[in-house]
Amino acid sequence: MASHRKSRPSGTRVAGIRTPALATAALTSVALLSQSANAAPTADDKPSLEEVEKKVDDLYRQAESATDKYNAAKEKTAKQRKRVDNLLDDVAQRTQKLNEAREELGSFAAAQYRTGASAPDTATFLLADTPQDYFDQTQLMDRMTGRQKVAVDDFVTQQSETMKKRQEATESLETLTESQGDLKTAKSTVQRKLADARELLSKLTAEEKARLAAIEKKKQEEAARKAEELARQQAAQQKAREEAAAQQQESGSSSSSGSSSSSAPVDSSYSSKADKALAFARAQIGKPYVWGAIGPDSYDCSGLTQAAWKAAGVTLPRTTYDQVNAGTTVSLSQAQPGDLVFFYDDVTHVGIYIGNGMMIHAPKPGAYVREESIYYDGESAIHSVVRPA
């Protein structure tokens, strides 16, 4: 009888249902995948150092962009606050004059009351909603004396001008409130971006920080190589200009002037101003970068360039995106000491060129004013070069 029994299929039971071996294997795989999905992230999920470096650099750039907005809002707020103060002072003075005019009219009303004059002209005038309302409804002016008319004219003028200035002050206060809101928003954005960057860096191990420093050093070496290449190019162009000028002087001909006109030397007045700006910038080396700072103990990038050129007697705007329009744009190959070098498509960084592919700038939070290659963040980061005076 046993020989007629059917063999029991291999497999297991799941919830009372017999499953074949292949299905069991599939279920096991699903369970393992589920466990893997719920497991903590592995080391492979951690961003690479290059990704961390890029993220931190992006955050610093975003902070610089927000800093420019903060600087613009701060400047606008200061100007608006000054305007509001001036308007309020003006309103106070005009209110005083209006009160004096009102008192003079009141004296006429009192005199009429004491003498029993039948025409309540001035008193009625003072009780009207506005002087013009009363004039539109009565023949008051015809019944007033000459002195009364002069007093009324003065009162009407003072009232009209005072109301106008009060309206201007109200509107200026509203604009000031908006500027203060923009200032607060920009400040909050800068602080948030810098906090995010610090948090990313704080998660790195000592070994990772060392490797990150090595990556940065390699970038600096490449930037220095690029700067030397530009210095050689500029030196060759200068030599060619000098040779062309010498040949022209020897031949007494102006035929070669066209070849050198596009690269004419910088005039002496600019060189003198540039020397003063550079002397100031060099004296700031070692001072910390602080966003929104304009010296004398710390600077942000545009604060440094503004202060440097101020020392040379040239007034520059506060922000990078205004400074980039405050001069003549020149090619990089024609850059001269003192020129401003701007970076990134959104023009969020600036340094002052010192020659040989190098500049002085206030780099970023946590860093100090220093000399550095203009290629510190790669050739593509350079936006333009501007001669400010």
Side-chain angles (χ1 to χ4, degrees), residues 23-202:
T24 302
L27 287 172
T28 302
S29 298
V30 170
L32 290 174
L33 287 172
S34 178
Q35 292 174 3
S36 299
N38 294 327
T42 64
D44 294 337
D45 297 326
K46 189 175 181 178
S48 66
L49 283 178
E50 288 78 5
E51 291 172 333
V52 171
E53 181 192 36
K54 184 178 184 307
K55 181 63 176 176
V56 169
D57 286 346
D58 286 345
L59 286 168
Y60 280 144
R61 278 192 54 202
Q62 291 169 27
E64 272 200 306
S65 178
T67 296
D68 257 349
K69 292 178 181 177
Y70 170 85
N71 291 337
K74 185 177 181 180
E75 191 173 46
K76 181 180 178 181
T77 298
K79 290 179 180 178
Q80 199 62 33
R81 183 177 288 112
K82 184 176 180 180
R83 173 173 168 76
V84 167
D85 290 342
N86 290 338
L87 282 169
L88 290 177
D89 287 343
D90 193 8
V91 167
Q93 293 173 6
R94 291 182 183 279
T95 300
Q96 178 63 30
K97 291 180 180 179
L98 181 64
N99 290 336
E100 292 172 358
R102 182 179 285 110
E103 289 175 3
E104 186 175 2
L105 287 174
S107 67
F108 287 128
Q112 288 175 345
Y113 178 78
R114 287 194 302 270
T115 59
S118 59
D121 299 333
T122 308
T124 307
F125 170 81
L126 288 170
L127 292 173
D129 290 338
T130 67
Q132 193 61 48
D133 288 344
Y134 187 80
F135 296 153
D136 291 342
Q137 300 171 21
T138 71
Q139 297 178 349
L140 174 62
M141 292 300 288
D142 293 337
R143 305 203 304 272
M144 283 186 173
T145 67
R147 286 183 61 195
Q148 285 176 315
K149 289 180 180 180
V150 171
V152 168
D153 286 341
D154 185 46
F155 180 83
V156 171
T157 299
Q158 294 296 339
Q159 185 184 54
S160 175
E161 291 180 353
T162 301
M163 292 177 65
K164 181 180 178 181
K165 289 298 179 181
R166 282 176 178 168
Q167 180 63 30
E168 288 183 23
T170 299
E171 292 173 354
S172 293
L173 279 169
E174 292 174 354
T175 303
L176 176 60
T177 300
E178 292 176 2
S179 298
Q180 289 173 329
D182 293 341
L183 185 65
K184 184 177 180 180
T185 299
K187 182 177 181 180
S188 175
T189 301
V190 175
Q191 292 172 330
R192 186 175 66 253
K193 298 299 181 183
L194 294 180
D196 289 345
R198 286 193 295 268
E199 183 181 1
L200 274 174
L201 292 173
S202 69

